[in-house]
Amino acid sequence: MKTVLRYLLRLLSVAVFGAALAGILTAGGYINWNNDSPDAVSSATAQSVSAEDMEGKWVVLINRGLHDKSGTTADWENFFSFSDNVPLIMEDITCKVAELDSGGLETAKKYQARLPENQMKIVQEPGTMLVSKAELLRFDVIILSEAAANAYSAQTLYGNKDILAVKM
């Protein structure tokens, strides 16, 4: 009976010590008990972005070959054109933007804010290389401002049957 009582007192002392240590670490700011991190379906930011928030004109190029296999081409087209009929898309994408295209980068970041965290990765590349890779279908999604699309002659990609061009 004494050993059981000793065991329980030791267990109680460990619990009290742990609670005191956790209280000190929380008060010092080393532990944050508030779980504000986004989960798999929450938005990356609290920012709500609509088509009216987008300034200027831009072009979104989607590689049909990659997304037709998974059946999400129409879903991504609806997403990038701000349709109301966008289902939950369980697919990560890599969005490429021309390095000197600040309008395209800003637009890509606004689209990224509409998706769950880490679902859309933004990569910047030189514009001429970006269009060359697009001609060879070595991309997932490309976002260009209208000015950059004209400067890099991206209009040649619009007629390609393997590339879906969404113009806004």
Side-chain angles (χ1 to χ4, degrees), residues 10 19 21 31 33 36 42-43 63 71 99 108 112 136 155-156:
R10 286 181 185 161
L21 183 61
I31 296 177
W33 296 103
D36 286 336
S42 65
S43 177
N63 186 339
E99 282 180 346
Q112 186 181 42
L136 299 172
Q155 299 85 354
T156 59

Side-chain angles (χ1 to χ4, degrees), residues 55-122:
E55 295 178 13
K57 295 182 178 181
W58 62 92
V59 177
V60 179
L61 303 172
I62 302 171
N63 186 339
R64 286 183 193 257
L66 291 177
H67 299 287
D68 281 349
K69 290 178 185 174
S70 60
T72 58
T73 304
D75 296 338
W76 285 117
E77 180 180 13
N78 289 339
F79 171 78
F80 284 114
S81 59
F82 286 97
S83 174
D84 292 333
N85 303 331
V86 180
L88 179 64
I89 305 171
M90 299 299 292
E91 179 181 56
D92 293 344
I93 61 171
T94 300
C95 176
K96 294 188 177 185
V97 180
E99 282 180 346
L100 301 176
D101 186 12
S102 61
L105 179 61
E106 181 181 329
T107 301
K109 287 181 179 179
K110 287 183 179 181
Y111 277 123
Q112 186 181 42
R114 295 180 60 215
L115 291 169
E117 188 175 25
N118 299 324
Q119 186 173 2
M120 179 174 162
K121 180 180 175 186
I122 299 175

Side-chain angles (χ1 to χ4, degrees), residues 4-22:
V4 172
L5 185 59
R6 283 185 192 162
Y7 178 74
L8 290 176
L9 287 175
R10 286 181 185 161
L11 189 61
L12 180 65
S13 67
V14 169
V16 169
F17 176 74
L21 183 61

Side-chain angles (χ1 to χ4, degrees), residues 122-160:
I122 299 175
V123 177
Q124 290 184 307
E125 288 188 8
T128 52
M129 184 182 295
L130 190 65
V131 173
S132 295
K133 285 183 177 181
E135 289 172 350
L136 299 172
L137 301 175
R138 295 182 187 229
F139 74 99
D140 193 0
V141 173
I142 295 175
I143 296 179
L144 295 169
S145 65
E146 185 179 50
N150 291 335
Y152 298 122
S153 301
Q155 299 85 354
T156 59
L157 302 171
Y158 300 168
N160 190 328

